[in-house]
Amino acid sequence: RCFAPLYFWLFTTGIAQGQALKSWMNDVVGEEHIIKNNQEELAFLIDEEHYLALREHQTNSLKMVRRISDGRVVVVGSGLEESTRSKLRALLVNNKWKWSESVFRLKKFKKVTFLVSLVSDDTIEIQEIIDKYQLSHIRSRYYSGFGTKSELTQLAQFGSVRYISLASLEAKEESRVIDLNLNPNRIAKVHAKSPHLDGDSLTVSVKERAFDPSDVDLRGRSYLSGLESADISSHATEMATVIAGAGNSFITGRGVASGALLTGASFEVLFPENLSDYKRLNIHVQNHSYGTEVENYYGLSAQAYDQSVIDYPTLVHIFSAGNSGDVNPVEGDYAGVGAYANLTGNFKNAKNVLTVGAVDTVGRSQFFSSRGPSGDGRIKPDLSAYSMVGSSNSAALVSGTVLLMQQQF
């Protein structure tokens, strides 16, 4: 009997995943094709193992542009002959392979803020897209705009467009008061047994509003990045204290990595910083104790954070799972399953980040802590840590612990 709820959840999760893939293929498989630089290039859905075999033998110019959760990939190129297509069971797909799940659910005439990734050496076409859709630059290849589903259909026809998604761009902090306890996760034991582990000389970036650099527990170990918010908040100061407080104010002011350096970045832009900024500031951990609304899909900001880690493999992005654990999604592939799939922000669905939930002193999940699965069925959160007030504090504990691990290893 005790396994029945788990079985039901796994069963319904499997059904939702299968239905989602079937729905996606029904919308995407078709005869349209993309045009790039006046040269025809077709997009196909094939098994990833077939793509890797083709690439190994260098028999064509295919490029993988999207991975689908069941082991298939979307490839673009002009080197797949009819006989090869039949042998590989390659399916021709239309431009909607560029859409995230959120765009498919969009009502036809509703005008929304969208995000788009532009990747091409054709600067003329990119400028044409920017001008036509009045796009605003966010980071590197990422832009935002405002339009209808019909306009997004037209936008997807450009070869330079690689991904389109919707997203809430308004962040909010995800806990209210400091709740620093280093015992439940054995961090106090680490301090006692290995007092040399304090994060010395390592730098953590706290991405949200700015923390107070004059705070007695942070003073002398923080520096300006040029990326921080103009607004100082108590929440950011508390997160910085959990991560790296010196303990000068009181025992509850000593964080996990009391010797680490701190800097900040604003969450007004919900995308990772530029690679050059992470390297310039020598940042290898970035804490993200904030969220948006419940977004149960892999969107463009999730993709951006995955790419950030691919570009800079020693960087660890750590996100709070969210405090919407009692929310039952009313739309999407997991609608009606119960209080699951309620991560607050599509970036928390990323694959190369740590999304952190909250547990009590004996490791039981907190009722308020958001949980997965991710939009494509992966288990979330990736791990959990102590907090009685919000998953923000849990993420901060993990950020400090990662600093200790980086120092040790």
Side-chain angles (χ1 to χ4, degrees):
R1 182 181 300 170
C2 63
F3 289 106
L6 175 61
Y7 174 79
F8 171 76
W9 181 80
L10 290 172
F11 178 70
T12 51
T13 296
I15 290 175
Q17 282 183 262
Q19 290 174 339
L21 180 63
K22 184 176 180 181
S23 174
W24 187 87
M25 290 183 64
N26 286 340
D27 284 320
V28 167
V29 173
E31 294 298 321
E32 296 177 55
H33 54 272
I34 66 172
I35 305 296
K36 180 180 178 184
N37 298 336
N38 297 320
Q39 180 182 1
E40 213 173 72
E41 287 194 329
L42 301 178
F44 295 94
L45 183 67
I46 65 173
D47 289 339
E48 185 170 8
E49 60 185 60
H50 291 154
Y51 164 71
L52 294 175
L54 288 170
R55 189 176 67 171
E56 183 178 344
H57 292 94
Q58 297 180 334
T59 56
N60 57 67
S61 59
L62 294 177
K63 180 179 180 182
M64 184 177 72
V65 289
R66 187 169 180 183
R67 180 179 279 110
I68 310 303
S69 59
D70 73 333
R72 279 178 274 190
V73 296
V74 176
V75 297
V76 171
S78 55
L80 210 57
E81 304 299 330
E82 285 285 351
S83 57
T84 308
R85 292 184 208 172
S86 177
K87 183 178 178 182
L88 300 181
R89 299 193 302 276
L91 300 174
L92 185 64
V93 295
N94 58 42
N95 298 318
K96 292 177 182 176
W97 67 262
K98 303 178 182 182
W99 284 3
S100 85
E101 296 86 342
S102 58
V103 181
F104 286 104
R105 299 197 291 263
L106 180 63
K107 293 179 180 175
K108 189 172 183 181
F109 298 109
K110 185 178 180 181
K111 209 157 190 178
V112 295
T113 298
F114 64 86
L115 301 171
V116 58
S117 171
L118 303 179
V119 181
S120 177
D121 295 328
D122 189 345
T123 55
I124 295 176
E125 180 177 274
I126 287 182
Q127 192 58 52
E128 179 187 347
I129 296 170
I130 293 171
D131 294 341
K132 182 174 181 179
Y133 294 92
Q134 298 182 317
L135 302 181
S136 299
H137 186 239
I138 299 176
R139 287 269 194 273
S140 183
R141 64 188 187 185
Y142 304 110
Y143 298 80
S144 66
F146 193 63
T148 63
K149 189 172 184 177
S150 175
E151 289 172 314
L152 297 186
T153 301
Q154 298 168 13
L155 177 60
Q157 295 176 5
F158 286 91
S160 299
V161 173
R162 275 292 178 259
Y163 206 70
I164 303 171
S165 79
L166 310 184
S168 171
L169 298 178
E170 189 171 337
K172 55 188 176 185
E173 300 154 341
E174 288 190 323
S175 67
R176 300 165 300 283
V177 295
I178 194 165
D179 177 36
L180 183 48
N181 186 343
L182 302 183
N183 290 312
N185 296 114
R186 309 295 189 268
I187 296 167
K189 186 175 182 179
V190 172
H191 287 169
K193 289 201 162 196
S194 304
H196 66 287
L197 289 181
D198 62 357
D200 181 44
S201 300
L202 297 172
T203 301
V204 59
S205 170
V206 180
K207 188 176 175 78
E208 51 178 283
R209 293 187 177 91
F211 57 82
D212 182 0
S214 66
D215 183 276
V216 67
D217 291 316
L218 308 175
R219 186 183 303 152
R221 289 183 297 116
S222 65
Y223 59 90
L224 297 176
S225 64
L227 308 170
E228 57 277 299
S229 170
D231 301 322
I232 291 177
S233 82
S234 59
H235 182 273
T237 304
E238 290 164 2
M239 294 307 102
T241 304
V242 173
I243 296 168
N248 294 324
S249 59
F250 189 61
I251 189 171
T252 55
R254 187 188 182 195
V256 182
S258 59
L261 301 174
L262 298 114
T263 191
S266 173
F267 64 5
E268 289 180 8
V269 176
L270 291 175
F271 274 71
E273 275 52 71
N274 293 322
L275 174 61
S276 58
D277 289 320
Y278 288 122
K279 289 186 173 181
R280 169 178 63 88
L281 299 164
N282 197 31
I283 294 167
H284 294 282
V285 176
Q286 189 166 47
N287 186 78
H288 306 261
S289 288
Y290 56 85
T292 58
E293 58 193 33
V294 171
E295 293 179 337
N296 185 39
Y297 56 87
Y298 185 89
L300 194 53
S301 56
Q303 186 187 90
Y305 277 101
D306 279 341
Q307 187 64 49
S308 174
V309 179
I310 291 170
D311 293 340
Y312 197 21
T314 58
L315 174 63
V316 184
H317 288 290
I318 298 167
F319 287 92
S320 56
N323 297 338
S324 297
D326 58 346
V327 172
N328 185 351
V330 295
E331 63 178 10
D333 301 328
Y334 294 97
V337 174
Y340 294 96
N342 46 33
L343 301 174
T344 53
N346 80 81
F347 36 81
K348 301 178 184 186
N349 287 266
K351 305 167 188 176
N352 299 339
V353 307
L354 290 178
T355 303
V356 182
V359 291
D360 64 14
T361 54
V362 292
R364 294 174 299 195
S365 180
Q366 297 281 33
F367 73 94
F368 59 76
S369 185
S370 293
R371 57 189 64 87
S374 65
D376 56 5
R378 286 171 289 114
I379 294 172
K380 289 281 182 175
D382 301 296
L383 52 84
S384 294
Y386 168 78
S387 177
M388 299 298 286
V389 297
S391 58
S392 278
N393 297 47
S394 303
L397 276 179
V398 172
S399 290
T401 305
V402 171
L403 287 167
L404 301 189
M405 294 175 69
Q406 290 182 338
Q407 181 182 4
Q408 173 69 13
F409 296 106

